[in-house]
Every structure is written in C-alpha cells, then in structure tokens.
Amino acid sequence: MARDLTIQIRLTKEEHETIAAQAGREGLGVGTYLRALALRNAFESSGSPRGKAFAVRRRAQKRAKSSRTRQAVGEGHRR
C-alpha cells in the first residue's frame, strides 16, 4: 500500500547552496533531488532485491567515475 509522506527540513544558506549545486549538476531541482536521494537511501537500506540493485548500480557508477577521474588526472600530468 502506498503512503504519502511529508518532510520539512530546515537548511542553512550554505547547506541549501551545496545541495542546489549538486542538484543542478544532476539536472534536478532541490526538492526533486532530495526526494530522489531519500528514496535511493530507503531502497538501498531495505535489503530488498530492488534495494540491492540500487546499491550495486551506485557502486558501479562510483567505480566508473573514479576511473574517469584517475584517467583525467593521469592525462593532465603527461603534458
């Protein structure tokens, strides 16, 4: 059964700016970004098959990003 949930969060200006910057990099608004983050964390911690799939995908994305970063740094030092 689906349930509606409303959460109010008080952020400092700096916290909001940090979250807004990350949300912007993802092409999302602050509210949408925070909802997506909350859902992802809820799924990953649930231990369900969907949660495990989210966790595996996120680890793969982190590894790929880390690999790209190392390559870019390595290319920068070759000059």
Side-chain angles (χ1 to χ4, degrees), residues 4-5 11-12 15 19-20 22 32-33 35-36 38 40 43-44 53-54 58-60 62 64 69 73 79:
D4 290 335
L5 177 64
L11 300 171
T12 65
E15 290 168 335
I19 292 168
Q22 180 62 36
T32 303
Y33 176 78
R35 281 189 297 276
R40 183 181 72 199
F43 281 134
E44 288 180 2
F54 270 99
R58 183 153 69 138
R59 284 193 299 271
K62 280 186 178 183
T69 301
V73 168
R79 293 181 184 172

Side-chain angles (χ1 to χ4, degrees), residues 13-44:
K13 182 179 179 185
E14 293 79 17
E15 290 168 335
H16 186 276
E17 289 171 353
T18 300
I19 292 168
Q22 180 62 36
R25 285 191 289 275
E26 307 252 349
L28 301 171
V30 171
T32 303
Y33 176 78
L34 289 174
R35 281 189 297 276
L37 183 63
L39 281 171
R40 183 181 72 199
N41 287 337
F43 281 134
E44 288 180 2

Side-chain angles (χ1 to χ4, degrees), residues 55-73:
V56 167
R57 180 173 173 227
R58 183 153 69 138
R59 284 193 299 271
Q61 288 172 334
K62 280 186 178 183
R63 280 193 303 271
K65 183 177 180 182
S66 176
S67 176
R68 286 192 307 269
T69 301
R70 282 194 306 269
Q71 288 175 348
V73 168

